[in-house]
Amino acid sequence: MSNVLSHTKSLEFILGGNSTFTFLNTITGNRFTFRVKRKKDNLFYVKVLTGSSEYSYIGSILNNNFRHSIKSRISVDSQSVKVFHYVFHKLINSKLDDCVQIWHDGKCGRCNRQLTVPESIESGFGPECVKLIKQT
């Protein structure tokens, strides 16, 4: 079983409400792990992994637009911010390069519970949460 999300399902997972995922460039091997949490209906906070288990705030997504925050300790010019902005924008426009893989961490993108059912691992959402996601 693989935790690689298809490009078509990645955006749904990222905006699931409580997702942790890694962007991997298969050509360079570069990778960044992010956490996106829903704050309100169309507002999400984006953090990047900066330590063994520490995430640092980089910006927000509002109405499917990512914006770096001036409150972030991480520069708008940092590689992690550039990568998130690039990949997210490409996903919104359905034009992400094949060399970019998006891996989920084995937990539901909505409730953050451990996934155990093969279909859930493939989609990134547990059986109950996938029903709720499809209703919205």
Side-chain angles (χ1 to χ4, degrees), residues 37-104:
K37 288 193 176 186
R38 182 187 311 269
K39 179 67 175 167
K40 295 180 184 175
D41 284 341
N42 292 319
L43 176 65
F44 301 82
Y45 290 158
V46 181
K47 295 181 177 183
V48 63
L49 184 66
T50 53
S52 62
S53 61
E54 179 185 336
Y55 287 82
S56 298
Y57 177 68
I58 60 171
S60 61
I61 298 168
L62 179 62
N63 297 322
N64 288 338
N65 290 310
F66 171 72
R67 287 186 70 168
H68 176 264
S69 175
I70 59 171
K71 295 181 180 180
S72 175
R73 298 179 325 186
I74 298 174
S75 165
V76 69
D77 296 322
S78 74
Q79 191 68 21
S80 60
V81 172
K82 288 179 179 180
V83 165
F84 187 84
H85 183 268
Y86 174 83
V87 172
F88 188 75
H89 178 74
K90 290 290 189 175
L91 285 171
I92 291 290
N93 293 298
S94 301
K95 295 181 179 182
L96 186 60
D97 303 323
D98 288 338
C99 67
V100 177
Q101 291 182 341
I102 301 171
W103 291 72
H104 68 77

Side-chain angles (χ1 to χ4, degrees), residues 19-51:
S19 58
T20 303
F21 51 92
T22 300
F23 293 159
L24 169 67
N25 182 320
T26 59
I27 295 171
T28 65
N30 290 341
R31 61 184 164 79
F32 290 98
T33 299
F34 300 94
R35 181 173 284 160
V36 175
K37 288 193 176 186
R38 182 187 311 269
K39 179 67 175 167
K40 295 180 184 175
D41 284 341
N42 292 319
L43 176 65
F44 301 82
Y45 290 158
V46 181
K47 295 181 177 183
V48 63
L49 184 66
T50 53

